[in-house]
Each structure stands twice: as C-alpha cells, then as structure tokens.
Amino acid sequence: MLKKLLFPHAEPHEYVAAWGARLALALFAALPVDRASAFGGWIACRIGPRLGVHRTAKANLELALPERSAEHERILQGMWNNLGRVLAEYAHLGDIHIGSHEAGEQIEVVGDEHLADIRDGKKPAIFFSAHFGNWEVMSIAGVHYGIHLVQVYRAANNPLTEEILQNLRKPVGGQRVPKGMQAARELLKALKRNECLAMLVDQKLNTGRAVPFFGHDAMTAPAIAELALRTGCPVVPIYGERLGDSARFRVTIQAPIQLENTGDRESDIDSALRMINQNLEERIRRNPEQWFWVHKRWKR
C-alpha cells in the first residue's frame, strides 16, 4: 500500500503535478458542485491566459474563425472558464445526475429516442463527440439509458495524473481503452459483443488523413470511419453542452450519420471523415467558447 501511495517509478515533476492535482480536487470535492465548478472556472480564467498554450488557442481561432475576430477574446475567456469548470467537476462526477433542472438535477437529455433505439435494437453503435462542454457527462447519459460504452481515450502523459483521472471516472461507468496499437483489437472485440463505442475525434493524429476542418486540412484519425464501414455500425453524434455559466448540461444525441459504402474503401473513409468533421464544426461554431482550442489541431 505504501509503495502505491508513494508512486516509486515517477519522475520528481510528476510527483509535484500529481499531488497538486490531489490537493486541488480535494478542495473542489469539499465544495458543492455548483460552487466548485464556479471556483474552477474563476481560477482558470486567471491562470490560463498566462500559459504558453494560450498562444496556440489564439492562433487556432485566427485560423478557424477569422470572421469573428471581434469575439476572440470573449471566446478565449469562455474557453478557460469552461476548462476550469470541467476540471473542478471531475471531483463531482458521482454527484451529477440525469433529470430536470427544476428537480435539482444537472443533465437534461435531448434525442434520447436515438439511445432507446440503439438499446432496444441490441446492436452496436459508435458514438462520437469532441472535447466540448463537459465531455464526461455524455457517458453518464449512455449508462443511464442502459448502454454499455467502451470509451476510447488518450491517456494523460503523467501516469500519476492518469491514475487519479481513472479513479475519478469510475462513477461514470463503462469501460475505457487507451489509444494505441492494442486499441483497434479491443474495439473490434467490443463491437462483436454488441457493445457500443464512444470516441472523441477532434484531436490531431499525425499519421491520420488530411481532412477539411474549419476550411483547413487537419490530420484526422481514420479509426472511426474504418470501424463503421467494416462493421456497418451506425455512427451517432453526441454532445455534452454546458448551459450558461453553470454546472448544468444538455446532452444532445443526434440521428445517426448515413455513411456512404460504395466499395471504394479509400474514398468511403475520406467521405465519412468529411461528414464527421463537418458535424463537429457545426456544433463548435454554435458555442466556440466550449471547445478545446488549446490543442494543436492544424499543421503550422
């Protein structure tokens, strides 16, 4: 037990980051979810603009939304507020529930008939989304409606932070598979078991395909298109949008995207990725302050 607590294989800076995260999360956990969320947003708005990644976010906005230059500062401030809130809300994932806001619950669901169709059809589907709003609440909705989700995720660079995050995510339910060489095999096995996949597909993959995103080619991971075309699974957009400046959310499940399967594998994959990126872009344009602009999505 002591060995586990002391993280014997960690680098010194990883110790510092992990224990700093533990202290912050302990503070957020001691507060009610609404106050913790607001406090996290307040902190991020003051620290975020001082970080180097703020320049990346500004450059991304200038590239993707040049016509909204007058709004860039507001969007960036909103982005930091949202990210700070998401981090604070990790301490309360077990306290965030589906239901009406009038009844004091945090998540309302729109399009739940699509979840019901997938659940009752007892066939697998592939859900996709972005680092938008609070992306963790989408899993809460899936589990609430009786859908077992196998979620693909990018593990944190710091293994100690990764352990903390996985412990915090346990109340959400489902299974998590880290990206990597083994992931594709695990995902195929899950689909054969009639389980559903959940994938965040808005980040760059250097070995991916150049697909337009906000009018510029972005290296896009092809796995979702390859799996969907290979298995015939429906591809379903889902988003966890933050409602105002609060710890309240709307999870929206859209109708499945109809992918073309002409038999020309390369062309069909490119077509599928274009439709997926277009869907992401449409959602982000509505609330750009809720997207993760600090990621290096485009080549420079």
Side-chain angles (χ1 to χ4, degrees):
M1 182 65 179
L2 181 61
K3 183 178 180 181
K4 182 179 179 181
L5 287 173
L6 293 180
F7 304 117
H9 303 298
E11 297 295 329
H13 69 277
E14 292 175 334
Y15 277 109
V16 173
W19 285 110
R22 286 182 183 276
L23 289 172
L25 288 165
L27 172 60
F28 292 136
L31 298 171
V33 60
D34 291 316
R35 291 182 62 189
S37 176
F39 188 35
W42 181 85
I43 293 172
C45 284
R46 278 143 188 84
I47 296 176
R50 301 174 184 271
L51 302 178
V53 291
H54 188 76
R55 291 192 295 272
T56 299
K58 289 181 68 175
N60 283 341
L61 268 176
E62 290 165 2
L63 182 75
L65 297 176
E67 73 281 3
R68 298 175 68 172
S69 59
E71 301 177 65
H72 284 183
E73 287 304 316
R74 178 191 64 79
I75 292 170
L76 289 170
Q77 190 74 0
M79 177 200 71
W80 285 117
N81 178 54
N82 181 67
L83 289 178
R85 285 178 173 273
V86 170
L87 291 175
E89 287 155 3
Y90 269 102
H92 289 276
L93 287 179
D95 305 320
I96 296 176
H97 302 292
I98 302 283
S100 70
H101 296 159
E102 291 76 10
E105 306 297 358
Q106 293 85 12
I107 306 173
E108 65 178 43
V109 179
V110 176
D112 56 347
E113 67 273 13
H114 301 303
L115 290 178
D117 288 344
I118 292 167
R119 178 196 62 208
D120 298 341
K122 297 182 179 179
K123 292 183 179 180
I126 304 175
F127 294 91
F128 76 86
S129 192
H131 292 84
F132 179 87
N134 186 328
W135 48 92
E136 297 291 350
V137 302
M138 297 177 291
S139 299
I140 296 174
V143 172
H144 177 84
Y145 282 89
I147 296 177
H148 181 79
L149 291 173
V150 178
Q151 303 167 55
V152 187
Y153 76 100
R154 182 185 181 279
N157 294 332
N158 183 341
L160 311 185
T161 305
E162 172 66 10
E163 181 178 343
I164 294 169
L165 288 173
Q166 290 310 313
N167 286 331
L168 291 171
R169 285 173 172 146
K170 284 180 180 177
V172 174
Q175 176 187 347
R176 288 169 183 79
V177 176
K179 291 181 179 179
M181 295 298 293
Q182 184 66 21
R185 299 187 191 94
E186 293 298 324
L187 299 182
L188 277 173
K189 289 179 183 177
L191 292 175
K192 289 178 181 178
R193 296 192 300 265
N194 286 335
E195 295 174 341
C196 294
L197 307 185
M199 308 174 75
L200 298 177
V201 296
D202 58 330
Q203 293 192 315
K204 181 175 73 173
L205 179 67
N206 289 331
T207 57
R209 297 183 178 228
V211 180
F213 188 50
F214 285 91
H216 302 274
D217 280 350
M219 300 306 290
T220 303
I224 183 172
E226 292 170 346
L227 286 168
L229 292 168
R230 179 173 176 177
T231 62
C233 289
V235 175
V236 184
I238 180 171
Y239 296 97
E241 174 189 1
R242 187 178 302 280
L243 298 177
D245 201 22
S246 73
R248 300 288 185 273
F249 310 95
R250 177 183 296 119
V251 172
T252 301
I253 305 96
Q254 299 176 6
I257 291 178
Q258 299 302 313
L259 303 185
E260 298 177 354
N261 196 342
T262 66
D264 183 337
R265 182 178 181 276
E266 298 302 310
S267 176
D268 289 344
I269 289 173
D270 283 340
S271 176
L273 294 178
R274 284 175 179 270
M275 285 190 281
I276 289 168
N277 275 5
Q278 182 179 357
N279 188 280
L280 295 175
E281 180 179 333
E282 289 173 355
R283 172 58 62 172
I284 293 166
R285 283 184 179 276
R286 296 178 194 174
N287 297 100
E289 65 279 3
Q290 295 197 33
W291 190 52
F292 196 73
W293 290 98
V294 295
H295 177 66
K296 293 181 179 179
R297 187 66 183 91
W298 294 272
K299 283 187 175 181
R300 300 300 180 199

